Each structure stands twice: as structure tokens, then as C-alpha cells.
Amino acid sequence: MKYLNYIFIVLGAVVAIYAKAGEEQNQYILIGGIVILMIGIYRISKTIPSKEEDDDDLNNDEN
């Protein structure tokens, strides 16, 4: 499942670059590539723990 996030990021970047590289840019393909890229980044960012949660856990253990 973790690899799916990286596939989204790479696929979205490739599609966005492909859409931007042509002389006649297709805006819908560019937007689709950016959306796929952002979905991948969002899914990865959900797995990163919050710094505030770590600080709260440390403060509760000390008391």
C-alpha cells in the first residue's frame, strides 16, 4: 500500500511534465497530473506523526 503513494507521486509528476512539455498544452491533462501528484503527497503526509502529538506524549510521561 505504501508503494501506491509513491506511484501516485511519480505518475502525477510525469503526467504534469508531459502535459506542460507539448507546444499545445492540454490544461485538463495538466490538472489531472497535479491532482494525482497531490493525492500521493497527501496520502504520505497522513502517515507522518504530528510533532504536537509527540510533545504531548513526552509531557504526560514526565508527570
Side-chain angles (χ1 to χ4, degrees):
M1 196 67 173
K2 176 175 68 171
Y3 297 112
L4 182 64
N5 299 334
Y6 295 116
I7 291 171
F8 277 151
I9 291 173
V10 171
L11 181 66
V14 168
V15 169
I17 290 170
Y18 169 76
K20 192 71 173 161
E23 290 181 12
E24 291 188 22
Q25 300 172 358
N26 190 339
Q27 297 296 320
Y28 296 112
I29 294 176
L30 178 62
I31 292 170
I34 293 172
V35 167
I36 293 171
L37 176 67
M38 295 306 291
I39 288 171
I41 292 172
Y42 172 73
R43 288 173 55 113
I44 286 180
S45 70
K46 285 194 322 186
T47 63
I48 299 172
S50 174
K51 182 178 179 183
E52 293 177 6
E53 290 176 7
D54 293 340
D55 290 343
D56 290 340
D57 291 341
L58 291 175
N59 289 337
N60 289 337
D61 291 340
E62 292 174 357
N63 292 332

